[in-house]
Amino acid sequence: MATRTDAPTRREQILKEAARLFAERGFHGVGVDEIGAAVGISGPGLYRHFAGKDAMLAELLVGISGQLLTGAKRRLAEADGAARPEAVLDSLIEGHIDFALDDRPLITLHDRELDRLRDSDRKLVRQLQRQYVELWVEVVREVHPGLAEPAARSAVHSVFGLLNSTPHLGRPGSLPGRAATAALLHRMARGAFAAASPAAG
Amino acid sequence: MATRTDAPTRREQILKEAARLFAERGFHGVGVDEIGAAVGISGPGLYRHFAGKDAMLAELLVGISGQLLTGAKRRLAEADGAARPEAVLDSLIEGHIDFALDDRPLITLHDRELDRLRDSDRKLVRQLQRQYVELWVEVVREVHPGLAEPAARSAVHSVFGLLNSTPHLGRPGSLPGRAATAALLHRMARGAFAAASPAAG
DNA sequence: CAGGGACGTTAGCGCTCGTTAACCTGATGG
DNA sequence: CCATCAGGTTAACGAGCGCTAACGTCCCTG
Protein backbone atom coordinates (compact mmCIF):
# COMPACT_ATOMS: atom_id res chain seq x y z
CA MET A 1 0.00 0.00 0.00
CA ALA A 2 1.45 3.38 -1.01
CA THR A 3 1.54 5.72 1.93
CA ARG A 4 -0.05 9.10 1.34
CA THR A 5 2.37 11.97 1.46
CA ASP A 6 0.44 14.69 -0.36
CA ALA A 7 -1.78 17.07 1.58
CA PRO A 8 -5.30 15.89 2.34
CA THR A 9 -7.99 17.34 0.15
CA ARG A 10 -10.67 19.52 1.63
CA ARG A 11 -13.17 16.70 1.25
CA GLU A 12 -10.91 14.46 3.31
CA GLN A 13 -10.45 17.11 5.97
CA ILE A 14 -14.20 17.48 6.22
CA LEU A 15 -14.79 13.75 6.45
CA LYS A 16 -12.17 13.36 9.15
CA GLU A 17 -13.52 16.17 11.30
CA ALA A 18 -17.11 15.10 10.72
CA ALA A 19 -16.22 11.58 11.85
CA ARG A 20 -14.66 12.90 15.02
CA LEU A 21 -17.59 15.16 15.82
CA PHE A 22 -20.22 12.53 14.99
CA ALA A 23 -18.43 10.06 17.21
CA GLU A 24 -18.21 12.54 20.05
CA ARG A 25 -21.72 13.89 20.08
CA GLY A 26 -23.76 11.81 17.68
CA PHE A 27 -25.01 12.61 14.20
CA HIS A 28 -27.95 14.72 15.34
CA GLY A 29 -25.83 16.35 18.02
CA VAL A 30 -23.53 18.07 15.55
CA GLY A 31 -24.52 21.00 13.37
CA VAL A 32 -23.16 21.74 9.94
CA ASP A 33 -21.77 25.03 11.24
CA GLU A 34 -19.62 23.10 13.69
CA ILE A 35 -18.30 20.80 11.01
CA GLY A 36 -17.49 23.79 8.86
CA ALA A 37 -15.76 25.58 11.71
CA ALA A 38 -13.64 22.50 12.35
CA VAL A 39 -12.09 22.86 8.91
CA GLY A 40 -11.96 26.65 8.89
CA ILE A 41 -14.91 27.41 6.66
CA SER A 42 -18.44 28.20 7.63
CA GLY A 43 -21.55 26.05 7.55
CA PRO A 44 -23.02 26.32 4.07
CA GLY A 45 -19.58 26.22 2.51
CA LEU A 46 -19.70 22.47 3.05
CA TYR A 47 -22.30 22.17 0.33
CA ARG A 48 -19.62 22.82 -2.28
CA HIS A 49 -18.20 19.42 -1.33
CA PHE A 50 -21.16 17.34 -0.19
CA ALA A 51 -24.79 17.15 -1.15
CA GLY A 52 -25.78 17.35 2.50
CA LYS A 53 -25.07 16.25 6.01
CA ASP A 54 -26.48 12.81 5.31
CA ALA A 55 -24.07 12.36 2.42
CA MET A 56 -21.09 12.83 4.73
CA LEU A 57 -22.30 10.14 7.08
CA ALA A 58 -23.07 7.81 4.20
CA GLU A 59 -19.64 8.23 2.67
CA LEU A 60 -18.02 7.61 6.05
CA LEU A 61 -19.94 4.45 6.82
CA VAL A 62 -19.70 2.95 3.37
CA GLY A 63 -16.00 3.75 3.38
CA ILE A 64 -15.43 2.07 6.73
CA SER A 65 -17.30 -1.08 5.82
CA GLY A 66 -15.62 -1.33 2.46
CA GLN A 67 -12.18 -0.74 3.92
CA LEU A 68 -12.63 -3.44 6.52
CA LEU A 69 -13.91 -5.94 3.99
CA THR A 70 -11.26 -5.14 1.40
CA GLY A 71 -8.48 -5.44 3.95
CA ALA A 72 -9.82 -8.75 5.19
CA LYS A 73 -10.08 -10.16 1.68
CA ARG A 74 -6.53 -9.07 0.95
CA ARG A 75 -5.23 -10.71 4.09
CA LEU A 76 -7.11 -13.86 3.26
CA ALA A 77 -5.64 -13.93 -0.25
CA GLU A 78 -2.10 -13.23 0.95
CA ALA A 79 -2.20 -16.07 3.44
CA ASP A 80 -3.97 -18.34 1.02
CA GLY A 81 -3.12 -21.94 0.41
CA ALA A 82 -0.37 -23.25 2.59
CA ALA A 83 -0.87 -21.09 5.66
CA ARG A 84 -2.19 -22.55 8.86
CA PRO A 85 -5.72 -21.32 9.57
CA GLU A 86 -4.45 -19.97 12.88
CA ALA A 87 -2.17 -17.62 11.00
CA VAL A 88 -5.06 -16.38 8.86
CA LEU A 89 -7.18 -15.70 11.93
CA ASP A 90 -4.27 -13.89 13.55
CA SER A 91 -3.97 -11.74 10.47
CA LEU A 92 -7.66 -10.86 10.54
CA ILE A 93 -7.44 -9.99 14.22
CA GLU A 94 -4.38 -7.86 13.64
CA GLY A 95 -6.07 -5.95 10.85
CA HIS A 96 -9.15 -5.25 12.90
CA ILE A 97 -7.06 -4.11 15.86
CA ASP A 98 -5.06 -1.74 13.70
CA PHE A 99 -8.28 -0.23 12.50
CA ALA A 100 -9.79 -0.01 15.97
CA LEU A 101 -6.71 1.67 17.39
CA ASP A 102 -6.00 4.04 14.51
CA ASP A 103 -9.51 5.11 13.61
CA ARG A 104 -11.40 5.15 16.86
CA PRO A 105 -14.01 7.69 15.78
CA LEU A 106 -14.86 5.61 12.74
CA ILE A 107 -15.15 2.47 14.83
CA THR A 108 -17.57 4.32 17.08
CA LEU A 109 -19.65 5.54 14.17
CA HIS A 110 -19.68 2.14 12.59
CA ASP A 111 -22.19 0.61 14.96
CA ARG A 112 -23.86 3.73 16.25
CA GLU A 113 -25.23 5.81 13.43
CA LEU A 114 -26.09 3.21 10.84
CA ASP A 115 -29.81 3.82 11.18
CA ARG A 116 -29.47 7.44 10.06
CA LEU A 117 -28.69 6.39 6.50
CA ARG A 118 -30.95 6.34 3.48
CA ASP A 119 -32.33 2.89 2.82
CA SER A 120 -30.08 2.17 -0.14
CA ASP A 121 -26.91 3.22 1.68
CA ARG A 122 -27.89 1.31 4.79
CA LYS A 123 -28.48 -1.84 2.80
CA LEU A 124 -25.11 -1.46 1.15
CA VAL A 125 -23.33 -1.02 4.46
CA ARG A 126 -25.20 -3.94 5.99
CA GLN A 127 -24.23 -6.12 3.06
CA LEU A 128 -20.55 -5.20 3.39
CA GLN A 129 -20.69 -5.83 7.12
CA ARG A 130 -22.34 -9.20 6.59
CA GLN A 131 -19.69 -10.25 4.12
CA TYR A 132 -17.03 -9.23 6.59
CA VAL A 133 -18.63 -11.23 9.36
CA GLU A 134 -19.12 -14.32 7.20
CA LEU A 135 -15.49 -14.17 6.13
CA TRP A 136 -14.48 -14.25 9.79
CA VAL A 137 -16.95 -17.02 10.55
CA GLU A 138 -15.39 -19.29 7.95
CA VAL A 139 -11.88 -18.75 9.24
CA VAL A 140 -12.92 -19.17 12.85
CA ARG A 141 -14.62 -22.46 12.05
CA GLU A 142 -11.48 -23.72 10.35
CA VAL A 143 -9.48 -22.98 13.47
CA HIS A 144 -12.18 -24.25 15.84
CA PRO A 145 -14.09 -27.01 14.04
CA GLY A 146 -16.08 -27.84 17.17
CA LEU A 147 -17.95 -24.56 16.85
CA ALA A 148 -21.35 -24.70 15.17
CA GLU A 149 -22.09 -21.96 12.68
CA PRO A 150 -24.59 -19.92 14.73
CA ALA A 151 -22.30 -20.05 17.75
CA ALA A 152 -19.35 -19.05 15.60
CA ARG A 153 -21.28 -16.08 14.26
CA SER A 154 -22.20 -14.97 17.76
CA ALA A 155 -18.59 -15.42 18.81
CA VAL A 156 -17.40 -13.24 15.95
CA HIS A 157 -19.83 -10.46 16.86
CA SER A 158 -18.71 -10.69 20.46
CA VAL A 159 -15.04 -10.48 19.57
CA PHE A 160 -15.84 -7.43 17.45
CA GLY A 161 -17.36 -5.95 20.59
CA LEU A 162 -14.17 -6.75 22.45
CA LEU A 163 -11.89 -5.26 19.83
CA ASN A 164 -14.11 -2.24 19.29
CA SER A 165 -13.89 -1.38 22.98
CA THR A 166 -10.87 0.80 22.25
CA PRO A 167 -12.82 4.06 22.53
CA HIS A 168 -13.51 3.16 26.17
CA LEU A 169 -9.86 2.50 26.95
CA GLY A 170 -9.08 6.08 27.90
CA ARG A 171 -7.19 8.60 25.85
CA PRO A 172 -4.03 7.25 24.23
CA GLY A 173 -1.56 8.22 26.90
CA SER A 174 -3.18 6.49 29.82
CA LEU A 175 -2.62 3.32 27.84
CA PRO A 176 0.49 1.16 28.31
CA GLY A 177 1.48 1.96 24.75
CA ARG A 178 -0.02 1.06 21.46
CA ALA A 179 1.94 -2.12 20.88
CA ALA A 180 1.16 -3.48 24.33
CA THR A 181 -2.52 -2.68 23.96
CA ALA A 182 -2.64 -4.31 20.55
CA ALA A 183 -0.94 -7.41 21.93
CA LEU A 184 -3.35 -7.56 24.86
CA LEU A 185 -6.38 -7.27 22.60
CA HIS A 186 -4.96 -9.90 20.30
CA ARG A 187 -4.40 -12.40 23.10
CA MET A 188 -7.87 -11.79 24.48
CA ALA A 189 -9.51 -12.24 21.09
CA ARG A 190 -7.74 -15.55 20.56
CA GLY A 191 -8.59 -16.64 24.07
CA ALA A 192 -12.22 -15.75 23.60
CA PHE A 193 -12.47 -17.77 20.39
CA ALA A 194 -10.69 -20.71 21.96
CA ALA A 195 -13.07 -20.69 24.90
CA ALA A 196 -16.13 -20.46 22.67
CA SER A 197 -16.13 -24.15 21.87
CA PRO A 198 -18.30 -26.04 24.36
CA ALA A 199 -15.77 -28.88 24.43
CA ALA A 200 -12.99 -26.71 25.79
CA GLY A 201 -13.35 -25.74 29.39
CA MET B 1 -35.20 -9.84 45.31
CA ALA B 2 -38.99 -9.59 45.34
CA THR B 3 -40.36 -9.97 41.85
CA ARG B 4 -42.70 -7.22 40.73
CA THR B 5 -46.23 -8.44 40.06
CA ASP B 6 -48.16 -5.15 40.18
CA ALA B 7 -48.72 -3.14 37.03
CA PRO B 8 -45.94 -0.77 35.99
CA THR B 9 -46.52 2.87 36.76
CA ARG B 10 -46.83 5.37 33.96
CA ARG B 11 -43.37 6.70 34.80
CA GLU B 12 -41.95 3.22 34.32
CA GLN B 13 -43.79 2.76 31.04
CA ILE B 14 -42.36 6.02 29.79
CA LEU B 15 -38.83 5.15 30.86
CA LYS B 16 -39.00 1.77 29.21
CA GLU B 17 -40.28 3.11 25.90
CA ALA B 18 -37.90 6.05 25.98
CA ALA B 19 -34.99 3.67 26.51
CA ARG B 20 -36.06 1.60 23.54
CA LEU B 21 -36.49 4.61 21.28
CA PHE B 22 -33.27 6.29 22.40
CA ALA B 23 -31.38 3.06 21.76
CA GLU B 24 -32.92 2.69 18.33
CA ARG B 25 -32.52 6.18 16.97
CA GLY B 26 -30.41 8.12 19.43
CA PHE B 27 -31.38 10.76 21.96
CA HIS B 28 -31.60 13.60 19.46
CA GLY B 29 -33.32 11.36 16.94
CA VAL B 30 -36.44 10.86 19.05
CA GLY B 31 -39.05 13.52 19.67
CA VAL B 32 -41.13 13.85 22.79
CA ASP B 33 -44.25 13.30 20.69
CA GLU B 34 -42.95 9.88 19.73
CA ILE B 35 -42.21 8.94 23.30
CA GLY B 36 -45.67 10.04 24.29
CA ALA B 37 -47.27 8.12 21.44
CA ALA B 38 -45.39 4.99 22.52
CA VAL B 39 -47.24 5.02 25.84
CA GLY B 40 -50.56 6.20 24.45
CA ILE B 41 -50.49 9.83 25.47
CA SER B 42 -49.37 12.80 23.48
CA GLY B 43 -46.16 14.78 23.68
CA PRO B 44 -46.61 17.42 26.34
CA GLY B 45 -48.42 14.98 28.60
CA LEU B 46 -45.00 13.62 29.48
CA TYR B 47 -44.25 16.77 31.42
CA ARG B 48 -46.63 15.65 34.16
CA HIS B 49 -44.08 12.91 34.91
CA PHE B 50 -40.69 14.33 33.96
CA ALA B 51 -39.13 17.77 34.05
CA GLY B 52 -37.98 17.34 30.47
CA LYS B 53 -36.50 15.03 27.90
CA ASP B 54 -33.08 15.34 29.50
CA ALA B 55 -34.48 14.19 32.82
CA MET B 56 -35.66 10.93 31.27
CA LEU B 57 -32.21 10.18 29.89
CA ALA B 58 -30.58 11.12 33.18
CA GLU B 59 -32.85 8.86 35.18
CA LEU B 60 -32.21 6.00 32.78
CA LEU B 61 -28.44 6.29 32.82
CA VAL B 62 -28.12 6.86 36.55
CA GLY B 63 -30.47 3.94 37.11
CA ILE B 64 -28.46 1.62 34.90
CA SER B 65 -25.13 2.48 36.45
CA GLY B 66 -26.51 2.22 39.96
CA GLN B 67 -28.21 -1.08 39.24
CA LEU B 68 -25.04 -2.60 37.83
CA LEU B 69 -22.94 -1.42 40.73
CA THR B 70 -25.46 -2.45 43.38
CA GLY B 71 -25.83 -5.90 41.87
CA ALA B 72 -22.07 -6.36 41.70
CA LYS B 73 -21.61 -5.30 45.31
CA ARG B 74 -24.32 -7.69 46.40
CA ARG B 75 -22.75 -10.57 44.52
CA LEU B 76 -19.39 -9.72 46.02
CA ALA B 77 -20.86 -9.70 49.53
CA GLU B 78 -22.76 -12.94 49.03
CA ALA B 79 -19.68 -14.77 47.86
CA ASP B 80 -17.53 -13.10 50.48
CA GLY B 81 -14.96 -14.87 52.59
CA ALA B 82 -14.53 -18.50 51.80
CA ALA B 83 -15.42 -18.47 48.12
CA ARG B 84 -12.77 -19.03 45.47
CA PRO B 85 -12.08 -15.86 43.54
CA GLU B 86 -12.99 -17.72 40.36
CA ALA B 87 -16.51 -18.17 41.71
CA VAL B 88 -16.78 -14.45 42.45
CA LEU B 89 -15.68 -13.54 38.95
CA ASP B 90 -18.15 -16.03 37.50
CA SER B 91 -20.88 -14.40 39.53
CA LEU B 92 -19.95 -10.95 38.23
CA ILE B 93 -19.89 -12.22 34.68
CA GLU B 94 -23.24 -13.90 35.12
CA GLY B 95 -24.81 -10.75 36.49
CA HIS B 96 -23.52 -8.62 33.64
CA ILE B 97 -24.71 -11.14 31.07
CA ASP B 98 -28.18 -11.22 32.59
CA PHE B 99 -28.31 -7.49 32.30
CA ALA B 100 -26.97 -7.42 28.76
CA LEU B 101 -29.46 -10.02 27.60
CA ASP B 102 -32.53 -8.73 29.44
CA ASP B 103 -32.07 -4.99 28.99
CA ARG B 104 -30.46 -4.60 25.62
CA PRO B 105 -31.69 -1.06 24.98
CA LEU B 106 -30.27 0.09 28.29
CA ILE B 107 -26.92 -1.52 27.55
CA THR B 108 -26.89 0.35 24.28
CA LEU B 109 -27.70 3.67 25.91
CA HIS B 110 -25.16 3.11 28.62
CA ASP B 111 -22.14 3.84 26.47
CA ARG B 112 -23.75 5.87 23.74
CA GLU B 113 -25.62 8.83 25.16
CA LEU B 114 -23.64 9.67 28.25
CA ASP B 115 -22.41 12.96 26.84
CA ARG B 116 -25.93 14.33 26.54
CA LEU B 117 -26.27 14.62 30.32
CA ARG B 118 -25.95 17.69 32.50
CA ASP B 119 -22.50 17.94 34.09
CA SER B 120 -23.64 16.84 37.52
CA ASP B 121 -25.51 13.81 36.24
CA ARG B 122 -22.68 12.83 33.96
CA LYS B 123 -20.19 13.00 36.80
CA LEU B 124 -22.43 10.83 38.92
CA VAL B 125 -22.80 8.22 36.20
CA ARG B 126 -19.08 8.24 35.51
CA GLN B 127 -18.36 7.75 39.19
CA LEU B 128 -20.72 4.79 39.40
CA GLN B 129 -19.22 3.29 36.26
CA ARG B 130 -15.71 3.75 37.62
CA GLN B 131 -16.59 2.02 40.87
CA TYR B 132 -18.09 -0.85 38.90
CA VAL B 133 -14.96 -1.19 36.79
CA GLU B 134 -12.63 -1.02 39.79
CA LEU B 135 -14.62 -3.70 41.53
CA TRP B 136 -14.15 -5.97 38.53
CA VAL B 137 -10.45 -5.08 38.31
CA GLU B 138 -9.85 -6.22 41.87
CA VAL B 139 -11.59 -9.53 41.37
CA VAL B 140 -9.89 -10.14 38.03
CA ARG B 141 -6.48 -9.52 39.58
CA GLU B 142 -7.22 -12.01 42.34
CA VAL B 143 -8.00 -14.64 39.76
CA HIS B 144 -5.12 -13.65 37.47
CA PRO B 145 -2.32 -12.28 39.67
CA GLY B 146 0.04 -12.03 36.72
CA LEU B 147 -2.03 -9.18 35.31
CA ALA B 148 -0.77 -5.67 36.02
CA GLU B 149 -3.41 -3.14 37.03
CA PRO B 150 -3.53 -1.08 33.82
CA ALA B 151 -3.72 -4.23 31.73
CA ALA B 152 -6.42 -5.60 34.00
CA ARG B 153 -8.44 -2.40 33.58
CA SER B 154 -8.13 -2.56 29.82
CA ALA B 155 -9.10 -6.21 29.92
CA VAL B 156 -12.21 -5.41 31.95
CA HIS B 157 -13.29 -2.71 29.51
CA SER B 158 -12.71 -5.10 26.63
CA VAL B 159 -14.75 -7.85 28.23
CA PHE B 160 -17.54 -5.33 28.79
CA GLY B 161 -17.37 -4.69 25.08
CA LEU B 162 -17.64 -8.41 24.47
CA LEU B 163 -20.60 -8.88 26.80
CA ASN B 164 -22.32 -5.72 25.60
CA SER B 165 -22.27 -7.00 22.03
CA THR B 166 -25.68 -8.58 22.60
CA PRO B 167 -27.52 -5.87 20.64
CA HIS B 168 -25.57 -6.97 17.55
CA LEU B 169 -26.43 -10.63 17.99
CA GLY B 170 -29.63 -10.44 15.97
CA ARG B 171 -33.14 -10.43 17.28
CA PRO B 172 -33.81 -12.98 20.01
CA GLY B 173 -35.11 -15.78 17.85
CA SER B 174 -32.18 -16.11 15.51
CA LEU B 175 -30.19 -16.92 18.62
CA PRO B 176 -29.62 -20.51 19.78
CA GLY B 177 -31.63 -19.76 22.89
CA ARG B 178 -30.98 -17.50 25.81
CA ALA B 179 -29.27 -20.10 28.00
CA ALA B 180 -26.92 -21.20 25.25
CA THR B 181 -26.04 -17.62 24.39
CA ALA B 182 -25.40 -16.79 28.03
CA ALA B 183 -23.17 -19.83 28.38
CA LEU B 184 -21.24 -18.91 25.23
CA LEU B 185 -20.67 -15.36 26.39
CA HIS B 186 -19.62 -16.61 29.80
CA ARG B 187 -17.04 -19.01 28.38
CA MET B 188 -15.67 -16.33 26.07
CA ALA B 189 -15.35 -13.80 28.88
CA ARG B 190 -13.44 -16.27 31.04
CA GLY B 191 -11.27 -17.25 28.12
CA ALA B 192 -10.51 -13.62 27.32
CA PHE B 193 -9.44 -12.88 30.88
CA ALA B 194 -7.34 -16.02 31.02
CA ALA B 195 -5.57 -15.06 27.81
CA ALA B 196 -4.95 -11.52 28.98
CA SER B 197 -1.95 -12.48 31.08
CA PRO B 198 1.25 -12.19 29.05
CA ALA B 199 2.58 -15.33 30.74
CA ALA B 200 -0.16 -17.53 29.36
CA GLY B 201 0.51 -18.29 25.74
C1' DC C 1 -71.83 17.91 46.93
C1' DA C 2 -68.01 21.06 46.63
C1' DG C 3 -63.14 21.27 45.81
C1' DG C 4 -58.83 19.98 44.42
C1' DG C 5 -55.30 17.34 42.58
C1' DA C 6 -53.71 13.95 39.12
C1' DC C 7 -53.48 13.48 34.39
C1' DG C 8 -54.69 14.48 30.04
C1' DT C 9 -55.59 17.60 25.87
C1' DT C 10 -54.54 21.34 22.00
C1' DA C 11 -52.41 25.71 20.52
C1' DG C 12 -48.60 28.04 20.01
C1' DC C 13 -44.04 30.26 21.11
C1' DG C 14 -39.16 30.57 20.34
C1' DC C 15 -35.22 28.54 18.94
C1' DT C 16 -32.18 25.69 16.27
C1' DC C 17 -31.07 23.34 12.31
C1' DG C 18 -30.35 21.89 7.38
C1' DT C 19 -30.60 23.88 3.25
C1' DT C 20 -30.94 27.33 -0.52
C1' DA C 21 -30.17 31.85 -2.75
C1' DA C 22 -27.49 35.47 -4.04
C1' DC C 23 -23.28 37.34 -4.15
C1' DC C 24 -18.02 37.79 -3.96
C1' DT C 25 -13.06 36.65 -5.07
C1' DG C 26 -8.90 34.81 -6.70
C1' DA C 27 -6.71 31.60 -9.88
C1' DT C 28 -6.70 29.68 -14.47
C1' DG C 29 -6.59 29.14 -19.37
C1' DG C 30 -7.87 30.36 -24.22
C1' DC D 1 -7.45 40.39 -20.84
C1' DC D 2 -11.49 38.69 -20.17
C1' DA D 3 -14.52 34.43 -19.10
C1' DT D 4 -15.05 30.82 -16.24
C1' DC D 5 -15.15 28.24 -12.39
C1' DA D 6 -13.98 26.44 -7.88
C1' DG D 7 -14.69 27.62 -3.40
C1' DG D 8 -15.92 30.67 -0.33
C1' DT D 9 -19.24 34.37 2.09
C1' DT D 10 -23.81 36.15 4.52
C1' DA D 11 -28.89 36.32 4.69
C1' DA D 12 -32.83 34.07 5.10
C1' DC D 13 -36.41 30.47 4.75
C1' DG D 14 -39.06 26.52 6.36
C1' DA D 15 -39.46 22.71 9.16
C1' DG D 16 -39.12 20.49 13.43
C1' DC D 17 -38.04 20.59 18.01
C1' DG D 18 -38.62 21.09 23.31
C1' DC D 19 -41.41 23.26 26.19
C1' DT D 20 -45.18 26.31 28.26
C1' DA D 21 -49.86 28.02 28.68
C1' DA D 22 -54.42 27.38 29.06
C1' DC D 23 -57.92 24.45 29.49
C1' DG D 24 -60.79 20.02 30.33
C1' DT D 25 -62.02 15.80 32.89
C1' DC D 26 -62.13 12.28 36.12
C1' DC D 27 -61.74 10.62 40.83
C1' DC D 28 -60.98 10.94 45.50
C1' DT D 29 -61.88 13.01 49.84
C1' DG D 30 -63.89 15.97 53.64
Side-chain angles (χ1 to χ4, degrees), chain B residues 10 41-42 45 48-49:
Chain B
R10 171 98 330 157
I41 70 181
S42 227
R48 298 287 170 194
H49 305 275

Side-chain angles (χ1 to χ4, degrees), chain A residues 43-65:
Chain A
L46 296 171
Y47 287 75
R48 298 285 169 192
H49 304 275
F50 293 93
K53 198 183 160 196
D54 298 346
M56 300 179 206
L57 182 64
E59 187 155 330
L60 282 171
L61 293 185
V62 173
I64 300 164
S65 312

Side-chain angles (χ1 to χ4, degrees), chain B residues 31-168:
Chain B
V32 291
D33 289 353
E34 282 177 282
I35 303 174
V39 297
I41 70 181
S42 227
L46 296 171
Y47 287 75
R48 298 287 170 194
H49 305 275
F50 293 92
K53 200 184 160 196
D54 298 345
M56 300 179 206
L57 182 64
E59 186 155 331
L60 282 172
L61 293 186
V62 172
I64 300 163
S65 313
Q67 227 175 298
L68 278 174
L69 179 59
T70 303
K73 279 182 175 171
R74 181 172 48 74
R75 285 167 183 275
L76 205 63
E78 282 174 1
D80 203 12
R84 295 158 37 249
E86 285 87 352
V88 182
L89 182 55
D90 279 336
S91 180
L92 286 183
I93 294 172
E94 187 186 321
H96 198 106
I97 288 176
D98 284 345
F99 194 76
L101 285 176
D102 296 338
D103 294 297
R104 296 212 227 174
L106 294 185
I107 280 289
T108 300
L109 279 185
H110 190 240
D111 62 20
R112 188 170 294 196
E113 306 286 357
L114 181 57
D115 304 321
R116 262 54 112 200
L117 260 50
R118 288 172 27 226
D119 271 23
S120 61
D121 288 325
R122 187 172 55 249
K123 278 182 183 171
L124 172 57
V125 172
R126 282 243 165 82
Q127 182 188 330
L128 293 169
Q129 286 181 347
R130 189 161 39 239
Q131 289 183 58
Y132 185 64
V133 170
E134 293 310 314
L135 192 147
W136 274 68
V137 168
E138 285 182 30
V139 175
V140 166
R141 293 195 69 201
E142 285 180 32
V143 178
H144 302 284
L147 213 50
E149 190 179 310
R153 193 169 292 108
S154 291
V156 167
H157 281 291
S158 298
V159 167
F160 287 169
L162 188 155
L163 298 179
N164 292 352
S165 67
T166 52
H168 305 292

Side-chain angles (χ1 to χ4, degrees), chain A residues 10 41-42 48-49:
Chain A
R10 172 105 315 164
I41 69 180
S42 226
R48 298 285 169 192
H49 304 275

